[in-house]
Amino acid sequence: MSNKTLGLDTPLYKYLLSVSLREPDILQKLRQETATHPDSAMQIAPEQGQFMAFLVQLMGAMKTLEIGVFTGYSVLAVALALPKDGKIVACDVSEDYTAIARRYWDAAGVSDKIDLRLAPALETLDELLAAGQAETFDFAFIDADKVNYLAYYERSLQLIRPGGLIAIDNVLWGGRVADSQMQDKNTAAIRAFNQAISQDEQVILSLVPIADGLTLALKREPRTQVLG
């Protein structure tokens, strides 16, 4: 019994995966290839990908947004969970990273679900808003440069429908957010983001201690005024 979240040592983490992870072969192959990449630390954990796919299916999402693609694991996990006519707008700036992603999306047969936008994400998000796509997305995942987290969140909140969900990665930042001696720009940015979103009454909030910390922000439905 415990009245706080357990810390997972290596044996317990392996046990967790052994009894819960249902990773399709194509995702496992992508994860294994990414593990050999010089920037492999940017890869999300497989149980996190499965959790996000679970959320997408649970809410019946049809249209999703991803900010920060890397080699495409999270996009692929979500794409596999979406129905055949589901769509993902995926934002990244790296042709090199996303070339790997494209190979696996093609192999999995989900490329037709994915609209990859290679441009600074804020530009893409502003273009979506200008095109009248506010409140048309069901789900968004933010996992890009940390200094722009708050700007990504603010725009995603406009793009997500009421009752839609935003997931934000790396909010525990390897524990550095709780270390007052850590004052680098990324740590400071995540601290500022966490503080800001904790006060945002536009959303219902939960920070889930999975992988490097995943904040879930559910956009509130508009309140209806009862007359009488």
Side-chain angles (χ1 to χ4, degrees):
M1 302 293 290
S2 177
N3 62 2
K4 65 179 184 179
T5 302
L6 289 173
L8 298 181
D9 59 15
T10 298
L12 186 55
Y13 177 64
K14 288 182 177 179
Y15 176 79
L16 179 153
L17 296 182
S18 73
V19 297
S20 67
L21 185 63
R22 299 178 177 181
E23 187 179 36
D25 288 344
I26 191 69
L27 276 172
Q28 184 179 56
K29 290 176 181 176
L30 173 53
R31 182 164 58 87
Q32 290 171 343
E33 178 173 340
T34 304
T36 68
H37 195 282
D39 295 322
S40 60
M42 293 167 59
Q43 172 71 68
I44 69 166
E47 68 274 17
Q48 180 180 332
Q50 179 170 293
F51 180 58
M52 292 196 303
F54 175 87
L55 293 174
V56 164
Q57 289 182 294
L58 183 68
M59 66 190 301
M62 292 289 296
K63 184 179 179 183
T64 75
L65 176 66
E66 175 134 351
I67 303 167
V69 173
F70 189 39
T71 59
Y73 186 95
S74 53
V75 170
L76 180 53
V78 169
L80 290 169
L82 288 174
K84 289 184 178 180
D85 53 347
K87 296 295 179 184
I88 303 173
V89 176
C91 308
D92 207 281
V93 294
S94 173
E95 182 65 54
D96 291 339
Y97 290 159
T98 57
I100 299 170
R102 289 176 190 270
R103 281 197 285 109
Y104 283 89
W105 298 343
D106 287 343
V110 297
S111 292
D112 59 329
K113 297 181 181 181
I114 302 164
D115 177 7
L116 177 62
R117 308 283 186 96
L118 286 176
L122 290 177
E123 292 181 10
T124 298
L125 299 176
D126 286 341
E127 288 171 0
L128 292 171
L129 289 167
Q133 296 198 44
E135 297 193 343
T136 65
F137 288 82
D138 302 302
F139 176 84
F141 178 49
I142 300 173
D143 184 18
D145 57 296
K146 310 313 172 191
V147 296
N148 279 313
Y149 257 30
L150 192 55
Y152 295 146
Y153 169 74
E154 289 169 345
R155 285 159 174 82
S156 295
L157 194 59
Q158 295 177 65
L159 289 162
I160 289 291
R161 62 170 173 81
L165 185 66
I166 305 173
I168 307 100
D169 199 21
N170 302 122
V171 292
L172 295 180
W173 202 229
R176 293 186 290 279
V177 288
D179 183 350
S180 61
Q181 295 186 3
M182 299 298 295
Q183 296 296 331
D184 61 279
K185 66 178 183 179
N186 287 325
T187 303
I190 294 176
R191 279 199 199 103
F193 170 78
N194 288 341
Q195 185 61 38
I197 196 174
S198 73
Q199 306 299 318
D200 189 355
E201 293 299 326
Q202 300 174 89
V203 297
I204 299 168
L205 193 66
S206 181
L207 196 168
V208 181
I210 189 172
D212 197 26
L214 186 70
T215 288
L216 302 177
L218 182 70
K219 186 173 179 178
R220 291 184 186 273
E221 299 280 354
R223 296 179 180 177
T224 57
Q225 184 176 2
V226 179
L227 300 178

